[in-house]
Amino acid sequence: MLRLAFPLVSHLPPRKPPPIRQRPPPARRYAASAATTSSTPSSPPPSHPPLPPSSAYVHLPFCRKRCHYCDFPIVALGSSSGTTPSRGEAADDPRIVDYVRLLLREVAATRPVSEDGVPLETVFFGGGTPSLVPPRLVAAVLDALRGRFGLSACPEVSIEMDPGTFDAARLRELVGVGVNRVSLGVQAFQEDLLRACGRAHGVKEVHEAVGIVTACEGLQNWSMDLISSLPNQTEEMWEESLRCTVDARPTHISVYDLQIEQGTKFGQMYTPGVFPLPSDTESANFYKIASKRLSEAGYNHYEISSYCKSGYECKHNLTYWQNRPFYAFGLGSASYINGVRYSRPRRMKEYAEWVQELEDGTWSHKSRSSDMKDMALDVVMLSLRTAWGLDLQSFSKSFGKSLALSLCNTFKPFVESGLVIAMDMERQALPHIDFELDLQNEGDFGSRVAFIRLSDPDGFLLSNELISLAFGIISP
Amino acid sequence: MAGAAVLRRSARGIARHIAAAPSLSRNALQQPERLLSSQASPEHGARGAVSGSELALYPPERVRNFSIIAHVDHGKSTLADRLLELTGTIQKGHGQPQYLDKLQVERERGITVKAQTATMFYRNTTASQDSDAPRYLLNLIDTPGHVDFSYEVSRSLAACQGALLVVDAAQGVQAQTIANFYLAFESNLSIIPVINKIDQPTADPDNVKDQLKRLFDIDPSEALLTSAKTGKGLEHVLPAVIERIPSPPGKCDSPVRMLLLDSYYDEYKGVICHVAVVDGALRKGDKIASAATGRAYEVLDVGIMHPELTPTGVLYTGQVGYVISGMRSTKEARIGDTLHQAKSIVEPLPGFKPAKHMVFSGLYPADGSDFEALSHAIEKLTCNDASVSVTKESSNALGMGFRCGFLGLLHMDVFHQRLEQEYGAQVISTIPTVPYIFEYGDGSKVQVENPAALASNPGKRITACWEPTVIATIIIPSEYVGPVIMLCSERRGEQLEYTFIDAQRAMLKYRLPLKEIIVDFYNELKGITSGYATFDYEDSEYEQSDLVKMDILLNGQPVDAMATIVHNQKAQRVGRELVEKLKKFIERQMFEITIQAAIGSKVIARETLSAMRKNVLAKCYGGDITRKKKLLEKQKEGKKRMKRVGSVDIPQEAFHELLKVSNSK
Ligand SMILES: Nc1nc2c(ncn2[C@@H]2O[C@H](COP(=O)(O)OP(=O)(O)O)[C@@H](O)[C@H]2O)c(=O)[nH]1
Ligand SMILES: [Mg+2]
């Protein structure tokens, strides 16, 4: 039973709200060039980002059961777990305890990239359902991270929570140990849809959870997750979910478009585009409705699937989209350190063995570090997901002006048709005529156009097409 | 077994490698002794060891050259097997496979591609029990059974003096029976009718005799009744060959002169020519020359096909065998050519014609980067099939490729099949076309083998056009006459003959534009007649026709590889069909695509494909971008495989599908 009322006492002082910025920081730190201001446009940047990571992802894989669309590395605990009272330490599931032990070993065995201690600015507890993990254990992980890498003065510490898995006390405890951002996995506001997805909660739990989160002292920054294009989802249902979301006034909203993955229950049951899944046209319509309704409600559509109130971008996710390095810990998690992307084993046994190797010093990166081409692909793929878009000047510096020019040429017809927006230094949209003038010779290139981005919603909706076109240029 | 593999011979070696195991035949070629010496022949000391002096025992009077002609499945291969067994040429009862007509293309189209040629020794012991009965050398010169190879057939028949006309006792005369009969008849061959499969419960040999009388004026008493299955009546076949077929004419004391019947390329021995020695004798070490090319060669090896290559060192007047003379490519060994003693002036044998290409199509690498590989594969393949013409061409949609000319449709299919099966080449082929002739206002004429090459709006006015036609023979149970007449008139056919060959069966003869039968005609004919129709055709002359060039445009850009030449009255229908097909196979893109069929500047069919709405992965989880990146890479690769015209990407399937659009509907 979840209780809303709680003594408003906390053993830790409430955290400050996160610093508010007007817009996301420009994507200036990809590859390497920006850090070494001395690098000239012609000199190739070093093969890995010299910046030490200032973000860490921590995977907490436990769920009560697997949702029908989910193909993440998770551990299903069964229905008994998760309603554990926040102070019921005695009842801690040994699987969770064992896992956290492993995590702590991984943290301890991971060498910080920089010796002079660049502290972590963001920590993200993702899952799984991290809210199933007792706050005490979350605190232990945070402590370990702080000890190993340092935490900045006011880091963004996010945790994913599912309705029905926490009460006010538990949340308060989490906030008490340093969590200051919650991402609430609501997904839908319709009982039928939640059931059809195999979610472990109903609409009642959603409302209770929203109540707990909004009432929680010291927690201003929270996000709500929704999924569109669910089986049998109607436009009315979608409108309703968006309305309820706006009414709950989260600072951030993530809207995911259902992907049917192989090996999931949905993968066996449904074919994309075929009833009861919406057609591509209907599904595009859901996307457009979200964009419209959430913009009307004052949210910025700052990334393909992310909306926020001004200044409430998820700083942790910006790390990804800006192609900056990050640590990662835990089952199946992916890190990006020293220019190398590494995905940990997705099976517990193998992960445990891997941690052992890491401790023994017998593990070494087998994956080659990304080359220039890979890095350019990453930059384009990630930055074009954002409203900020691709910073051409910085891209030119890292990968050469002619590649930037080729990219722009490829996008020319789409600037004209409105799927792509070209912008000047002041981020004012350029008429396509001006854009084309800029492309006429390499010398002029960049005199007007400074950024390109995909338009909202039409360009975002075709991001795979547009980005794969760019891929064809970068890596023919 | 290996013997059988060697027997799998085709006209010009076209289909040799499709169903045969080349390695098997190669072994057999390398080690004929091992395979042959194991069994004593009833007629010879040891099979395989045939000496030149033995061949000298067979002057022309003791030689008979004949072929077996039949409609498909009437028992030609089986009868040939039996005759080879009867003469001890191949081993009996060792599970000799039915090795002719096993090609997919043959089955699909109801035609025969391959042929076999073999020398047999035979003593007629049925006429007299006398062991002094003379021995004969019999050459079974087989022919491919398809109109594409009618020239090769005519050359093979030119080396024969007689033919066994095999007819199924139950099915009676069919389309190819008629076509084959006339080919043999025109070559002045003695024809021995063989009514086969008399063991079948539905056999009606008397009805077949009536048909033969009515259609070919063959005296019913001449027909032999056989079952190649049970062996019944087979003992009469070879005696009839000896009695009824004349021996080859030819002057034994003239310089050597021979007809080149067939050739194929062997990896180890080079070009192997099948020849019929018309005059004189051919010996190892002789110098010979080609009448067609003037090139001279030395005879390195000469022998008979018994049935494997069996060196004899010599071939005498009237005999049939093989010659290896250091030719490098079958292009030097033109079928129908005369080979003769070098440095002597001889009259070439009549009838030599260069290959006539009736069907053309563009062949392009399915993956643009494979041009070199395709080029190499085509070069290798034409080494064995010199009858394909190949010229480089390029297309705005498909890049660099080749325009290939074929003897006919089947020939084209076999060529494609071999390219893919033997060389692993992935090809896109353009809609097959026929050689049209266009005349301009100034009186000049051009032959158009590639529709794209014909200007859509010619500066010069076209005043007349001609297209090649064929004469088709169709035999059907009479209840299907109506639908078949409909089909033929849809295909712009002109009825020439409509007769009944017996109480149930009708024969139709039509003149049809060749273009109308090269796509899908046979399938459709089979479809509307529950599979009962049989069909064959022969080339006929060019006829004047109202032809137009039809362009396919994507967003206003013509796709040259999709241009076709169609009859004016059918343009609308064909245009609609092409455009609809393309709409199905072109994928949505980020902009609207208009697909048009146009004649000159006049659009006759149009479809629009609306722009794609959505292609987004709105999930990017936990920084694990590698999966998403892979997906985008895959998408990029998919785009790369597409063919692009203007800004429109065309999937390769679209080209394949267009081939299936009947140009005649
Ligand atoms: N019942 C019967 N079947 C036969 C006879 N001769 C051939 N066949 C069968 O008819 C089919 C076609 O024979 P085949 O020799 O391949 O015909 P081809 O196409 O003319 O060469 C095969 O299944 C043979 O076994 C025969 O005399 N009687
Ligand atoms: Mg056969």
Side-chain angles (χ1 to χ4, degrees), chain B residues 73 76-78 100-101 112:
Chain B
D73 276 350
K76 178 165 117 163
S77 313
T78 313
L100 291 193
D101 303 329
T112 311

Side-chain angles (χ1 to χ4, degrees), chain A residues 71 127 259 283 461 465 475, chain B residues 614-615 617 621 627 636:
Chain A
D71 68 337
Q259 302 296 314
S283 161
L461 268 169
E465 283 297 303
S475 146
Chain B
K614 177 197 135 181
N615 187 351
L617 259 191
Y621 187 75
R627 262 172 81 191
K636 176 201 83 183

Side-chain angles (χ1 to χ4, degrees), chain B residues 478-525:
Chain B
S478 45
E479 64 259 40
Y480 297 112
V481 166
V484 171
I485 287 179
M486 282 263 285
L487 172 67
C488 289
S489 72
E490 263 173 31
R491 305 277 178 142
R492 301 191 278 130
E494 174 200 347
Q495 197 181 87
L496 303 177
E497 201 179 322
Y498 173 11
T499 47
F500 284 87
I501 62 170
D502 62 24
Q504 288 93 40
R505 272 167 283 203
M507 178 177 77
L508 295 169
K509 275 193 190 269
Y510 270 89
R511 180 190 299 284
L512 285 156
L514 175 60
K515 176 67 182 292
E516 298 286 341
I517 62 165
I518 62 173
V519 179
D520 221 28
F521 181 77
Y522 187 65
N523 279 344
E524 207 162 311
L525 181 64

